[in-house]
Amino acid sequence: MSELPQYKKDFLRASIRGNILKFGSFSLKSGRVSPYFFNAGDFYRADLLDSIATAYALTISSLPIQYDIIFGPAYKGIPLATAATLKLGQLDPSKYSSIEYSFDRKEAKDHGEGGNIVGAPLKGKRVLIVDDVITAGTAKREAIAKIEKEGGIVAGIVVALDRMEKLPAKDGDDSKPGPSALGELKKEYNLPIFAILTLDDIIEGIKGLVSEEDIKRTEEYREKYKATD
């Protein structure tokens, strides 16, 4: 496997240092027990927020797609989209100073400016969704529906982490091969979906940063639950 780009290394180290990427034993909603856990909601310190904003901005700036607005689904997506937009403008003002951001409300406001959307109007604009992870895909489907209802065109999705993990089998037999939630979403909407880090990146990048036992357990988890897409 080729060496990780420096911005991915920096983001991975910041995630471990800030205890955002943790290793141990974590019970997931799916019933699986994961040897690692990533919570983008823990990037609440200024230096950590800067690290994730930089990682998003560098990932977004390399994308082969066009977009006008960066959209953060409530709630975790709101600071991510805001910080990424600000960082893009700082990295290359000549190219990104006119990029806008927007986010949704969980419940529509019936007074003041009203509506479901805060920030840049979406009508007729190409919208890039930014969020932390895709677990089941429900929140992203809701975001896509809201954007399209407002007249926006979804250009793609960027997440912090692609777990590369197959969805739980409907019959409970996890030994069967299967697609990931990210892969299903990509297929359903014919959308490009990108990630700052994948599970493969994590396993490659944590060597020397965490214990050999943590690496081994994470590799075994990948082998057991890796998606077919």
Side-chain angles (χ1 to χ4, degrees):
M1 187 175 176
S2 59
E3 189 175 351
L4 293 181
Q6 190 60 46
Y7 78 92
K8 289 194 178 195
K9 289 181 183 178
D10 292 343
F11 178 59
L12 187 53
R13 288 190 184 109
S15 298
I16 294 170
R17 186 181 70 246
N19 208 29
I20 291 135
L21 176 60
K22 308 176 182 76
F23 294 88
S25 184
F26 305 93
S27 296
L28 306 181
K29 192 183 288 186
S30 64
R32 294 171 185 167
V33 178
S34 174
Y36 74 99
F37 189 73
F38 178 86
N39 182 11
D42 286 341
F43 281 96
Y44 48 71
R45 206 172 67 207
D47 59 334
L48 296 174
L49 181 61
D50 185 69
S51 73
I52 195 170
T54 300
Y56 269 116
L58 290 171
T59 301
I60 291 168
S61 66
S62 69
L63 298 182
I65 59 174
Q66 294 183 314
Y67 44 87
D68 308 300
I69 294 171
I70 296 177
F71 182 89
Y75 292 102
K76 281 185 183 176
I78 296 173
L80 299 178
T82 308
T85 304
L86 178 63
K87 183 59 71 173
L88 276 168
Q90 292 171 343
L91 286 175
D92 191 346
S94 63
K95 188 173 181 181
Y96 297 112
S97 61
S98 62
I99 289 290
E100 301 170 328
Y101 77 89
S102 188
F103 58 89
D104 64 320
R105 293 186 173 96
K106 286 284 189 184
E107 296 176 3
K109 189 178 177 184
D110 59 5
H111 59 280
E113 75 278 17
N116 282 303
I117 304 299
V118 181
L122 304 179
K123 189 172 183 180
K125 299 293 182 72
R126 296 164 298 188
V127 182
L128 181 65
I129 298 171
V130 165
D131 211 352
D132 57 347
V133 295
I134 294 176
T135 305
T138 307
K140 308 305 175 290
R141 289 179 176 88
E142 289 173 356
I144 290 168
K146 284 183 179 180
I147 290 165
E148 291 179 342
K149 185 180 178 184
E150 294 290 327
I153 303 140
V154 179
I157 300 172
V158 180
V159 293
L161 175 64
D162 175 6
R163 291 179 60 95
M164 305 175 69
E165 186 173 329
K166 63 187 175 184
L167 288 161
K170 289 178 181 176
D171 63 3
D173 182 3
D174 267 341
S175 66
K176 295 177 181 177
S180 67
L182 187 152
E184 286 291 270
L185 203 64
K186 188 185 290 189
K187 184 177 168 185
E188 182 180 342
Y189 291 96
N190 193 28
L191 277 176
I193 303 178
F194 310 91
I196 300 172
L197 291 175
T198 65
L199 180 55
D200 285 346
D201 292 335
I202 287 176
I203 290 171
E204 178 65 22
I206 59 177
K207 291 168 183 172
L209 298 178
V210 302
S211 72
E212 287 297 321
E213 179 60 25
D214 284 333
I215 295 171
K216 182 171 178 286
R217 290 173 65 240
T218 306
E219 287 176 334
E220 288 170 350
Y221 187 85
R222 174 179 63 178
E223 182 64 28
K224 185 174 182 180
Y225 294 115
K226 190 163 186 178
T228 53
D229 47 77

